[in-house]
Amino acid sequence: MFAARRLVIAAHAQHKSFNFLLKKLHVSAPLSKLDLNGVYPPISTPFTSDGKEQMDFDKLESNLNVYSKSPLRGYLVQGSNGEYVYLSPEERVEMVRRVRRAVPADRLVLAGSGCEATGDTVRLTAQMAEAGADAVVVVTPCYYKSGMTDAAMVAHYTAVADASSVPVVLYSVPANTGVDLSAAAVARLAQHPNIVGIKDSAGDISKLALMVHQTKGENFQVLAGSASFLLPALLVGCVGGICALANVLPAEVCQLQALFEAGRLEEAAALQRRLVAPNAAVTRQLGVPGLKAAMDDHGLYGGPVRAPLLPLPDAERQRLRQVFADAGFQ
Amino acid sequence: MFAARRLVIAAHAQHKSFNFLLKKLHVSAPLSKLDLNGVYPPISTPFTSDGKEQMDFDKLESNLNVYSKSPLRGYLVQGSNGEYVYLSPEERVEMVRRVRRAVPADRLVLAGSGCEATGDTVRLTAQMAEAGADAVVVVTPCYYKSGMTDAAMVAHYTAVADASSVPVVLYSVPANTGVDLSAAAVARLAQHPNIVGIKDSAGDISKLALMVHQTKGENFQVLAGSASFLLPALLVGCVGGICALANVLPAEVCQLQALFEAGRLEEAAALQRRLVAPNAAVTRQLGVPGLKAAMDDHGLYGGPVRAPLLPLPDAERQRLRQVFADAGFQ
Amino acid sequence: MFAARRLVIAAHAQHKSFNFLLKKLHVSAPLSKLDLNGVYPPISTPFTSDGKEQMDFDKLESNLNVYSKSPLRGYLVQGSNGEYVYLSPEERVEMVRRVRRAVPADRLVLAGSGCEATGDTVRLTAQMAEAGADAVVVVTPCYYKSGMTDAAMVAHYTAVADASSVPVVLYSVPANTGVDLSAAAVARLAQHPNIVGIKDSAGDISKLALMVHQTKGENFQVLAGSASFLLPALLVGCVGGICALANVLPAEVCQLQALFEAGRLEEAAALQRRLVAPNAAVTRQLGVPGLKAAMDDHGLYGGPVRAPLLPLPDAERQRLRQVFADAGFQ
Amino acid sequence: MFAARRLVIAAHAQHKSFNFLLKKLHVSAPLSKLDLNGVYPPISTPFTSDGKEQMDFDKLESNLNVYSKSPLRGYLVQGSNGEYVYLSPEERVEMVRRVRRAVPADRLVLAGSGCEATGDTVRLTAQMAEAGADAVVVVTPCYYKSGMTDAAMVAHYTAVADASSVPVVLYSVPANTGVDLSAAAVARLAQHPNIVGIKDSAGDISKLALMVHQTKGENFQVLAGSASFLLPALLVGCVGGICALANVLPAEVCQLQALFEAGRLEEAAALQRRLVAPNAAVTRQLGVPGLKAAMDDHGLYGGPVRAPLLPLPDAERQRLRQVFADAGFQ
């Protein structure tokens, strides 16, 4: 019933994209392809351990220091694991500014700028660009689930990409949002000159393959949203991954992609298989409290989470350690 | 795996509640029972029709004028149908202030003050109280679904209720949030002296009955979250409803409760059955765009929605009219 | 994509129904309305306690003896709680034959005759009629979920009802089947002269109300599929219930309907609220093993379940007793 | 609540397995490892096109003739795509007997023998072995979803494997059953000497990787349940696939595995990406009617489906052709 509305916004969206293209041509600035190839941790946001839940920029820098030793392609600031829904807009921008200052120019800074409202997303995107983001990663709006049709998604992302001075990466994470950006909508959006890729965290490897297939010939790159399926994603044509586990084991996740690129498939597959259980522990099973606890265990600063998330009980902290140890990661 | 964490926060929460109770006793202010009995529209937020998506307070007042002629118990400002996720915190508070000024003191103003973070919710709750809200209605946080355990919910609502100067009403709306506040968590929270009720929109009538049963003896009132099951909800012990459809048909929804209270059950049941299809059209099927279109059709101002929601296509607007007409509502 | 197929079978189905009508007219047998009003236990299937999992007809009769003292309208043999999926077709028919012999003619015997294949359902329906069933209750086929469109359902039930010599009751139980028979399909099927009602176990009270509304004027009766929402279902126009809990507490479930019909609403509501937790325990939470354990506790024979269902562990048996005791049922 | 029951059956199950092992040792028959490596179509069941829905063994043989030209490892008879839920037990066994006779001994015949009841599954398994099956593939029982705990699954499969004279392959297909056999249960069952593998159709590539990791050292092989993720599955350690699409494009699906094994990854990935859309069309989107239509289009006999499945409307048949053509398969 009432299904026709899904198709309503196409003409409008295409019109705006066309204007965007003209504008770009007018200033004679050829769109440089932003090469997203590689591994990124969606960095966690460090809070002070004094119970005040304030952002702790010293700990942020010390973490970035550790990360600098691994061949990461860059960082996603304000992914799901950054507790962005618990930060004010000002905190979100400040975090990006600090990361940009702290890391060298050859490491990409991707900034999460998604909000529920299209207007808010446009505004925060502009602030993120100004704060130094190389690109923005825009999560799907999700509150009115039945209203988030393909047409609504296409209109939303088109408006954001039209207005943005930096490239836009789509971001679909159904486990948190309850909304899955369809392959059909992605194929449409991939034609926009300022939309350069997607982070897809659903773990549906055939959808990843389909998106690569449907967008070939476009300037469009698909990133795996988790280390648990990074290797198969690379095999079907993804260019890298934004992986929570890279907050804890940055070298190992980079090594996974390096082994693949070197054609050392058996070693890659063995490493991939070992990563699944630790990855599940710090994502699906224990969430951000588990991720931060694992960081604490591995020479990084995890620290407390913001409420309503609860700290990890000691018993589970023990079991978490066991999962990493069982997989051979101390 | 890792299930034990669900139980961790109990002691802490109870301790804070106890402090709260002492504080209340200390100032010798006996908790007056806030009587929630009756029907409330979760009012929609009027935006200007000039494409700028600004809040239109003139239209708000004209709608409230229409509503003043029906025996509504009050208004929920910033329920799901108020597009609150698309409003800034300042807009959210301003809307409450305007409603409070526009309606007489004997009509309750309930203000939605839920945010993802506990701290943000505490702050917005204080602002809502200051803006004149009689009580706040606090939607469940929902982004990290697997982290929103009973223990997290109990800790979250306890913190909010401890800090709030006005009574707190819980709010569970799984169709939007993907999170269902459990009957067990509700039974725990009902013991808090500053938590006076719940709006439950899930439509599980046996859960409503169970919550009434489990909280009897407490100062706790259960409100149906939709007109589609208001009559059966009243029968099992609910005290009223916060119903999207009351934005369009305020007199009819009030009449439903009046017929029940007068013992005219057959008429009530016939009216209830007629309301189901129109209700489904403006909620589950067409969402806020459908609700606003139906308001436009029934002598109220609906007007445009904020993006990424899309306006209702003409063909569906026609079908919507037909659904109301088929049920005998012109 | 490919949505058009949902509409394909209409003409065919109507044609067959028309033939059916003609056939009925031809033999000049006016369709007598089968009055379904009342409460039915979907009786459990007793197995011997010697580990051989054989049907135990002595225990069946002793249970029916107990039930004869309550004003039940009849019995459903081979509902979900009858473990029908674990019985051979021969056992299914034999069970119906035994019940029919054991109970007086004024108690209805409804027989579950649903199979995955339409042809198998037609054949088993004929055998159930021959074994003495007053009507058949036909669960939705469900294995190929995406293929079970409205059109497929209408064609399936039309074929079964055309061929059946006894009236057909539709049966939707999404918790087991993963398939929800839509209100639209029900409205279509209610026009068939040999389809006289539906057992709906989903617990969506507004769907129950809508079905009553949409089928008024038809010879069609809606039955609640669970005691947990029997009272509200009666209020919106259902005529009774087929309730697992009536296997354990037949008198109390009958009393619930009697109180409603006598207009003693407050007592009815209080009883309804008390029934929710015990009902949940023997259905959603513990399933058939819990139901049978509760029967053992309440003077009936529950006995073992067939594998792969597991017997209820002792600890849970204790908790089950507590749930009943807490609600005041010893 | 009541969660403890999941652990109850372990001791019993282990005891029976031990007996089984002793029995095997006693007869001095070393368990030969059944090598499952390769591609299998889960063959569709041909019915006569005269409207009588009878099994058509001539068409079966002509299809097998076509398949004999591709390097398939064998055939699954009575997978989900074989409409086994619409066949009588006698038809199920007869189909296996016919396939066994028609194909050479070096092609494996896997027979689906899963039923809801453990006892029925044991009996049908024996008949399948007698009919010539090299192994049985046993789908998870699924009707009482909440009762299908890990403990129930372990007990069920242990009983079946203990009793079976041929090796047992687990089979998890949540899209049809609504039940997902957990990696933990699989790890337990992999230790049984007569359980040699699993067909997993869920498409969760990280679960496939985890199962390979957890069962290394066991005589246990993981098969992908669909061509849409066959290549990534092989990469993470699966040994082959049972793929609906191999009914239509047997050579291409075999070629996918051959390219992988030859280390020609880029070609393999390109082929994998082309297969996703056609695969989705004949499985998730159009189901068995789509699969049979595509067979008709590609030189095989698909023919009609059994009711309640509906034949594919002409318009969708056209679109199906287009999907194959777009992907380069005529």
Side-chain angles (χ1 to χ4, degrees):
Chain A
M1 193 179 181
F2 304 109
R5 68 194 297 227
R6 300 183 182 236
L7 307 168
V8 92
I9 226 66
H12 184 58
Q14 285 177 343
H15 178 249
K16 285 171 78 177
S17 290
F18 187 61
N19 279 352
F20 173 86
L21 199 57
L22 285 180
K23 188 173 60 181
K24 291 279 173 190
L25 291 172
H26 181 65
V27 297
S28 298
L31 287 169
S32 64
K33 180 177 156 90
L34 183 72
D35 180 1
L36 297 172
N37 185 83
V39 169
Y40 309 72
I43 58 175
S44 76
T45 302
F47 298 117
T48 54
S49 51
D50 56 3
K52 293 186 180 161
E53 299 191 346
Q54 296 304 299
M55 283 168 59
D56 189 330
F57 295 115
D58 291 343
K59 301 298 187 189
L60 173 64
E61 287 193 34
S62 72
N63 282 348
L64 291 170
N65 237 11
V66 175
Y67 293 149
S68 71
K69 283 148 202 153
S70 292
L72 297 161
R73 177 72 181 97
Y75 307 95
L76 170 58
V77 191
Q78 323 288 325
S80 292
N81 289 291
E83 292 172 80
Y84 77 90
V85 293
Y86 300 152
L87 305 182
S88 69
E90 295 73 27
E91 288 176 319
R92 291 177 70 172
V93 174
E94 182 63 14
M95 179 91 176
V96 170
R97 185 170 288 122
R98 299 286 186 135
V99 172
R100 179 68 286 173
R101 271 187 217 154
V103 305
D106 65 342
R107 296 227 166 173
L108 292 181
V109 175
L110 311 181
S113 66
C115 303
E116 280 292 327
T118 305
D120 290 345
T121 306
V122 167
R123 283 183 286 277
L124 189 56
T125 294
Q127 294 176 279
M128 290 304 197
E130 204 234 84
D134 294 300
V136 288
V137 175
V138 180
V139 70
T140 55
C142 64
Y143 192 73
Y144 300 106
K145 296 190 188 341
S146 64
M148 296 302 100
T149 57
D150 279 7
M153 290 297 191
V154 168
H156 174 74
Y157 281 110
T158 299
V160 173
D162 281 354
S164 173
S165 62
V166 294
V168 171
V169 177
L170 312 173
Y171 178 20
S172 183
V173 56
N176 289 331
T177 63
V179 165
D180 190 9
L181 192 60
S182 78
V186 172
R188 285 278 312 280
L189 289 165
Q191 298 169 27
H192 192 290
N194 205 27
I195 295 178
V196 299
I198 184 170
K199 173 189 182 189
D200 195 311
S201 300
D204 179 349
I205 191 76
S206 56
K207 184 190 171 195
L208 295 178
L210 182 62
M211 290 191 296
V212 171
H213 184 62
Q214 289 180 332
T215 63
K216 98 189 138 183
E218 309 287 344
N219 173 20
F220 193 80
Q221 300 159 83
V222 181
L223 293 163
S226 169
S228 66
F229 52 88
L230 176 57
L231 177 64
L234 293 169
L235 177 62
V236 299
C238 294
V239 302
I242 302 179
C243 308
L245 192 64
N247 276 301
V248 186
L249 303 175
E252 287 80 356
V253 181
C254 289
Q255 173 72 352
L256 184 57
Q257 182 155 2
L259 287 169
F260 172 76
E261 292 179 350
R264 294 158 63 184
L265 284 197
E266 285 193 26
E267 290 162 86
L271 177 55
Q272 174 66 81
R273 290 192 295 260
R274 285 170 61 210
L275 292 176
V276 172
N279 185 79
V282 300
T283 57
R284 192 156 39 86
Q285 289 163 353
L286 296 176
V288 180
L291 179 65
K292 287 189 158 180
M295 291 175 69
D296 287 330
D297 283 352
H298 286 81
L300 291 135
Y301 179 79
V305 289
R306 276 196 179 168
L309 286 178
L310 299 179
L312 206 64
D314 283 345
E316 295 191 12
R317 198 173 272 264
Q318 275 312 115
R319 299 183 60 173
L320 176 65
R321 267 175 210 143
Q322 197 57 49
V323 169
F324 274 79
D326 285 351
F329 305 108
Q330 301 305 341
Chain B
M1 194 181 181
F2 304 110
R5 67 194 299 227
R6 301 181 182 237
L7 305 168
V8 91
I9 226 65
H12 184 57
Q14 286 178 343
H15 177 249
K16 284 171 79 178
S17 290
F18 187 61
N19 280 351
F20 173 86
L21 199 57
L22 284 179
K23 188 173 60 180
K24 291 281 172 188
L25 289 171
H26 181 66
V27 298
S28 298
L31 286 168
S32 63
K33 180 179 157 88
L34 183 71
D35 181 1
L36 296 173
N37 186 85
V39 169
Y40 308 73
I43 58 175
S44 76
T45 301
F47 298 118
T48 53
S49 51
D50 57 2
K52 294 186 180 159
E53 298 191 347
Q54 296 305 299
M55 283 168 58
D56 189 330
F57 295 116
D58 291 343
K59 301 300 189 190
L60 171 65
E61 286 194 35
S62 72
N63 282 349
L64 291 170
N65 238 10
V66 174
Y67 294 149
S68 71
K69 284 150 200 151
S70 291
L72 297 160
R73 177 72 181 97
Y75 307 95
L76 170 58
V77 191
Q78 324 286 326
S80 292
N81 289 291
E83 290 172 82
Y84 78 90
V85 293
Y86 299 153
L87 305 182
S88 70
E90 295 72 28
E91 287 177 318
R92 291 178 69 172
V93 174
E94 182 62 16
M95 178 92 176
V96 169
R97 186 170 287 123
R98 299 285 186 134
V99 173
R100 178 68 285 172
R101 272 188 215 151
V103 306
D106 64 342
R107 295 224 167 175
L108 292 181
V109 175
L110 311 181
S113 67
C115 303
E116 279 292 325
T118 305
D120 290 344
T121 307
V122 166
R123 283 183 287 275
L124 189 57
T125 294
Q127 293 176 278
M128 290 304 196
E130 205 233 85
D134 294 300
V136 289
V137 174
V138 180
V139 70
T140 55
C142 64
Y143 193 72
Y144 300 106
K145 296 189 188 342
S146 64
M148 296 302 100
T149 57
D150 279 6
M153 289 297 189
V154 168
H156 174 74
Y157 281 111
T158 299
V160 173
D162 281 355
S164 173
S165 63
V166 294
V168 171
V169 177
L170 312 172
Y171 178 21
S172 183
V173 56
N176 289 331
T177 63
V179 165
D180 190 10
L181 191 61
S182 79
V186 171
R188 287 277 312 279
L189 290 165
Q191 297 169 29
H192 192 290
N194 205 26
I195 295 178
V196 299
I198 184 170
K199 173 188 181 187
D200 195 311
S201 299
D204 179 348
I205 191 76
S206 56
K207 184 189 171 198
L208 295 178
L210 183 63
M211 290 191 296
V212 171
H213 185 63
Q214 289 179 332
T215 63
K216 98 189 141 184
E218 308 287 344
N219 172 20
F220 193 80
Q221 301 158 82
V222 181
L223 292 164
S226 168
S228 66
F229 52 88
L230 176 56
L231 177 64
L234 293 170
L235 177 62
V236 299
C238 294
V239 302
I242 301 179
C243 307
L245 192 62
N247 275 301
V248 186
L249 302 175
E252 287 80 355
V253 182
C254 289
Q255 174 71 353
L256 184 58
Q257 182 155 1
L259 287 170
F260 172 75
E261 292 180 350
R264 292 158 62 184
L265 284 196
E266 286 194 24
E267 289 163 85
L271 178 55
Q272 174 68 77
R273 291 190 295 260
R274 284 170 61 208
L275 292 175
V276 173
N279 186 81
V282 299
T283 56
R284 196 157 35 88
Q285 290 164 350
L286 296 176
V288 179
L291 179 65
K292 286 190 158 178
M295 290 175 70
D296 286 331
D297 283 351
H298 286 80
L300 291 135
Y301 180 78
V305 290
R306 276 196 178 167
L309 285 178
L310 299 179
L312 205 65
D314 283 346
E316 296 192 12
R317 199 173 270 264
Q318 274 312 114
R319 298 182 61 171
L320 176 65
R321 268 175 210 142
Q322 197 57 48
V323 170
F324 275 78
D326 286 351
F329 303 109
Q330 301 304 342
Chain C
M1 193 178 181
F2 304 109
R5 70 194 297 228
R6 299 182 184 238
L7 305 170
V8 89
I9 225 67
H12 185 58
Q14 286 179 343
H15 177 248
K16 284 171 79 180
S17 289
F18 187 62
N19 280 352
F20 173 85
L21 200 56
L22 284 179
K23 186 174 62 181
K24 290 281 174 187
L25 290 171
H26 181 66
V27 297
S28 298
L31 287 168
S32 63
K33 180 178 157 87
L34 183 71
D35 181 1
L36 297 172
N37 185 85
V39 169
Y40 308 72
I43 59 175
S44 76
T45 301
F47 298 118
T48 53
S49 50
D50 56 3
K52 294 186 179 159
E53 299 189 345
Q54 296 304 300
M55 284 169 57
D56 188 330
F57 295 115
D58 291 343
K59 300 299 187 188
L60 172 65
E61 287 193 34
S62 72
N63 282 348
L64 291 170
N65 238 10
V66 175
Y67 293 149
S68 71
K69 284 150 199 150
S70 291
L72 298 160
R73 177 72 181 98
Y75 307 94
L76 170 59
V77 190
Q78 323 287 326
S80 292
N81 289 291
E83 292 172 80
Y84 77 90
V85 293
Y86 300 152
L87 305 183
S88 69
E90 295 71 29
E91 287 176 319
R92 290 178 71 172
V93 174
E94 181 63 15
M95 178 92 175
V96 170
R97 185 170 288 123
R98 299 287 186 133
V99 173
R100 178 68 283 172
R101 273 188 216 151
V103 306
D106 65 343
R107 296 226 166 173
L108 292 181
V109 175
L110 311 181
S113 66
C115 304
E116 280 292 326
T118 305
D120 290 344
T121 307
V122 166
R123 284 183 285 276
L124 189 56
T125 294
Q127 294 176 279
M128 291 304 195
E130 204 233 84
D134 294 298
V136 288
V137 175
V138 180
V139 70
T140 55
C142 64
Y143 193 72
Y144 301 106
K145 297 190 188 340
S146 64
M148 296 301 101
T149 57
D150 279 7
M153 290 297 190
V154 168
H156 174 74
Y157 282 111
T158 299
V160 173
D162 281 355
S164 173
S165 63
V166 294
V168 170
V169 177
L170 313 172
Y171 178 21
S172 183
V173 57
N176 288 332
T177 62
V179 165
D180 190 9
L181 190 60
S182 78
V186 171
R188 287 279 311 280
L189 289 165
Q191 298 169 28
H192 192 291
N194 205 27
I195 296 179
V196 299
I198 184 171
K199 174 189 181 187
D200 194 311
S201 299
D204 179 348
I205 191 76
S206 55
K207 184 189 171 196
L208 295 178
L210 183 63
M211 290 191 297
V212 171
H213 185 63
Q214 289 180 332
T215 62
K216 99 190 137 181
E218 309 286 345
N219 172 21
F220 193 79
Q221 301 159 82
V222 181
L223 292 164
S226 168
S228 67
F229 51 88
L230 175 57
L231 177 64
L234 294 169
L235 177 61
V236 299
C238 295
V239 302
I242 301 178
C243 307
L245 192 63
N247 275 302
V248 186
L249 302 175
E252 287 80 357
V253 182
C254 290
Q255 173 71 355
L256 184 57
Q257 182 155 0
L259 287 170
F260 172 75
E261 291 180 350
R264 291 159 64 184
L265 285 196
E266 286 193 26
E267 289 163 87
L271 177 55
Q272 174 67 79
R273 290 190 296 260
R274 285 170 62 209
L275 292 176
V276 173
N279 185 81
V282 299
T283 57
R284 193 157 37 87
Q285 290 163 351
L286 296 176
V288 180
L291 178 66
K292 286 189 159 179
M295 290 175 69
D296 286 331
D297 283 351
H298 286 81
L300 291 134
Y301 180 78
V305 290
R306 275 195 179 168
L309 286 178
L310 299 178
L312 206 64
D314 284 345
E316 295 192 13
R317 198 173 271 263
Q318 275 312 116
R319 298 183 61 173
L320 176 65
R321 269 175 208 141
Q322 197 57 48
V323 170
F324 274 79
D326 286 350
F329 304 109
Q330 301 304 341
Chain D
M1 194 178 180
F2 303 109
R5 68 195 297 225
R6 300 179 183 239
L7 307 168
V8 90
I9 227 65
H12 184 58
Q14 285 177 344
H15 178 248
K16 285 172 78 179
S17 290
F18 187 62
N19 279 352
F20 173 86
L21 200 56
L22 284 180
K23 187 174 61 182
K24 291 280 173 187
L25 290 171
H26 181 67
V27 297
S28 300
L31 286 168
S32 63
K33 179 177 157 90
L34 182 70
D35 182 0
L36 297 172
N37 185 84
V39 170
Y40 308 73
I43 58 175
S44 76
T45 302
F47 297 117
T48 53
S49 51
D50 56 2
K52 293 186 181 162
E53 299 191 346
Q54 295 305 297
M55 284 168 60
D56 187 331
F57 295 116
D58 291 343
K59 301 299 187 188
L60 172 64
E61 286 194 34
S62 71
N63 283 348
L64 290 170
N65 238 10
V66 176
Y67 294 149
S68 71
K69 285 149 200 153
S70 291
L72 297 161
R73 177 72 181 97
Y75 308 94
L76 170 58
V77 191
Q78 324 286 324
S80 292
N81 289 291
E83 292 172 80
Y84 77 89
V85 293
Y86 301 152
L87 305 182
S88 69
E90 294 72 28
E91 287 176 318
R92 291 178 70 172
V93 174
E94 181 63 14
M95 178 92 177
V96 170
R97 185 170 287 122
R98 299 287 185 133
V99 173
R100 180 68 284 171
R101 273 188 215 152
V103 305
D106 65 343
R107 296 225 165 173
L108 291 181
V109 175
L110 312 181
S113 67
C115 304
E116 280 292 325
T118 305
D120 290 343
T121 306
V122 166
R123 284 183 286 275
L124 189 57
T125 294
Q127 294 176 278
M128 290 304 196
E130 204 234 84
D134 294 299
V136 288
V137 175
V138 180
V139 70
T140 55
C142 64
Y143 193 73
Y144 299 106
K145 298 191 186 339
S146 64
M148 295 302 99
T149 57
D150 278 8
M153 290 297 191
V154 169
H156 174 75
Y157 282 110
T158 300
V160 173
D162 281 356
S164 174
S165 62
V166 294
V168 170
V169 177
L170 312 173
Y171 178 20
S172 182
V173 56
N176 289 332
T177 61
V179 165
D180 190 11
L181 191 60
S182 79
V186 172
R188 287 278 312 282
L189 289 164
Q191 299 169 28
H192 192 291
N194 205 26
I195 295 178
V196 299
I198 183 170
K199 173 189 182 189
D200 194 311
S201 300
D204 179 349
I205 190 76
S206 55
K207 184 189 171 195
L208 295 178
L210 183 63
M211 291 190 297
V212 171
H213 185 63
Q214 289 180 333
T215 62
K216 98 189 139 184
E218 308 288 344
N219 173 20
F220 193 79
Q221 301 159 81
V222 181
L223 292 164
S226 168
S228 66
F229 52 89
L230 175 58
L231 177 64
L234 293 169
L235 177 62
V236 300
C238 294
V239 302
I242 302 178
C243 308
L245 193 63
N247 276 301
V248 186
L249 303 174
E252 288 80 355
V253 182
C254 289
Q255 173 71 351
L256 184 58
Q257 182 154 1
L259 287 170
F260 172 77
E261 292 180 349
R264 294 159 62 185
L265 284 197
E266 286 193 27
E267 290 163 86
L271 177 56
Q272 173 67 78
R273 290 192 295 260
R274 285 170 61 209
L275 292 176
V276 173
N279 185 80
V282 300
T283 56
R284 195 156 36 86
Q285 289 163 353
L286 295 176
V288 179
L291 179 66
K292 287 190 157 177
M295 291 175 69
D296 287 329
D297 283 351
H298 287 80
L300 291 136
Y301 180 79
V305 290
R306 275 197 180 168
L309 285 178
L310 299 179
L312 207 63
D314 283 345
E316 296 192 12
R317 198 173 271 263
Q318 275 312 113
R319 299 183 60 172
L320 176 64
R321 269 176 209 141
Q322 196 57 47
V323 170
F324 275 78
D326 286 350
F329 304 109
Q330 301 305 341

